[in-house]
């Protein structure tokens, strides 16, 4: 039976833990506590999240986790390198949940800054899937120049369409984000760029979790 976006009262107040992102695969959990959620980063890979530039933290109410980036930038035009137009970051998360529960990502909030010349285009895209599952959810958000401001994009999924983690099975959860910038019809000598970071602090990407009880076996 679904319990909505909050854990049941018996575990809603339990503490959570967070670990910094690492590029090396983790060895999994060693005797994870059975009564609280623990999110651990297995791998972080991608041109948008070089080693040491991404971290994950879990909210104390167990309903969200935040990914923080400090070097996530795509650009095109000017003296940009040919590979600079696209940057991505794949998070592979090992999620331990209380026995008898499963979870899904109900929504995701992305934030950054974009400076797009007139005629240039930018795109933020994300995909979500569980290890070994054929179901992959994609969301894209386009931005058109001229644009010179902070940006925000939200991916949300109706409850009935959520992709749930398999009950009773440990499956890693994958989130692949991407930024793309193209010069389009803009002056190719002028740089356009899009970031998932900022000059005065890190930009956070927040993922909101939904919960439900697994059927009794």
């Amino acid at each position: 039976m679904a319990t909505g976006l909050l854990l049941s009262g018996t575990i809603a107040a339990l503490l959570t833990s967070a670990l910094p992102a690492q590029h090396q695969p983790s060895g999994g959990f060693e005797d994870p506590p059975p009564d609280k959620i623990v999110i651990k980063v297995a791998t972080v890979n991608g041109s948008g999240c070089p080693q040491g530039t991404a971290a994950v933290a879990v909210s104390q109410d167990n309903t969200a986790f935040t990914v923080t980036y400090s070097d996530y930038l795509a650009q095109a035009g000017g003296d940009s390198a040919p590979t600079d137009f696209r940057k991505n970051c794949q998070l592979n998360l090992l999620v331990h949940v209380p026995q008898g529960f499963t979870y899904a990502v109900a929504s995701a909030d992305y934030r950054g800054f974009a400076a797009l010349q007139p005629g240039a285009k930018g795109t933020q895209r994300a995909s979500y899937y569980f290890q070994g599952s054929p179901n992959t959810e994609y969301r894209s958000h386009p931005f058109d120049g001229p644009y010179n401001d902070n940006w925000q994009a939200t991916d949300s999924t109706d409850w009935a369409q959520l992709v749930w983690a398999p009950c009773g099975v440990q499956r890693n959860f994958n989130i692949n984000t991407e930024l793309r910038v193209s010069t389009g019809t803009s002056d190719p000598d002028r740089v356009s760029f899009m970031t998932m970071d900022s000059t005065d602090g890190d930009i956070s990407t927040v993922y909101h979790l939904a919960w439900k009880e697994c059927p009794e076996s």
Side-chain angles (χ1 to χ4, degrees):
M1 180 179 63
T3 59
L5 296 180
L6 296 177
L7 290 169
S8 67
T10 57
I11 55 178
L14 293 172
L15 297 177
T16 63
S17 65
L19 294 173
Q22 302 292 333
H23 275 243
Q24 293 75 26
S26 78
F29 292 114
E30 296 180 4
D31 299 323
D35 55 356
K36 70 176 183 179
I37 180 176
V38 183
I39 295 179
K40 185 177 182 180
V41 177
T43 57
V44 178
N45 289 302
S47 54
C49 50
Q51 187 169 4
T53 66
V56 179
V58 186
S59 67
Q60 289 192 354
D61 65 0
N62 299 339
T63 63
F65 63 94
T66 301
V67 184
T68 304
Y69 303 97
S70 59
D71 190 18
Y72 200 154
L73 179 147
Q75 65 180 46
D79 59 357
S80 303
T83 57
D84 287 345
F85 80 98
R86 176 186 179 273
K87 295 296 174 72
N88 82 297
C89 184
Q90 175 146 328
L91 300 170
N92 185 275
L93 303 175
L94 187 64
V95 182
H96 169 78
V97 297
Q99 185 174 3
F101 281 83
T102 184
Y103 73 99
V105 171
S107 66
D109 300 317
Y110 298 94
R111 297 178 179 86
F113 183 84
L116 303 175
Q117 303 295 336
K121 296 181 180 297
T123 301
Q124 182 273 326
R125 188 187 191 201
S127 61
Y128 312 89
Y129 63 97
F130 289 98
Q131 180 183 10
S133 171
N135 298 321
T136 302
E137 293 291 323
Y138 296 93
R139 299 287 189 277
S140 293
H141 301 275
F143 297 86
D144 296 324
Y147 193 104
N148 188 30
D149 202 349
N150 295 318
W151 62 267
Q152 179 173 343
T154 298
D155 297 342
S156 59
T157 305
D158 292 337
W159 181 267
Q161 297 176 326
L162 292 176
V163 179
W164 297 96
C167 287
V169 179
Q170 181 67 66
R171 295 282 178 86
N172 286 20
F173 184 61
N174 295 277
I175 301 170
N176 191 17
T177 60
E178 177 182 318
L179 292 179
R180 285 179 181 260
V181 175
S182 64
T183 55
T185 60
S186 69
D187 183 349
D189 293 328
R190 301 182 66 184
V191 175
S192 293
F193 68 88
M194 191 171 180
T195 75
M196 223 181 284
D197 69 358
S198 69
T199 56
D200 60 349
D202 295 332
I203 288 296
S204 297
T205 299
V206 181
Y207 299 89
H208 303 277
L209 300 177
W211 296 88
K212 72 174 181 178
E213 290 183 72
C214 289
E216 294 184 5
S217 56

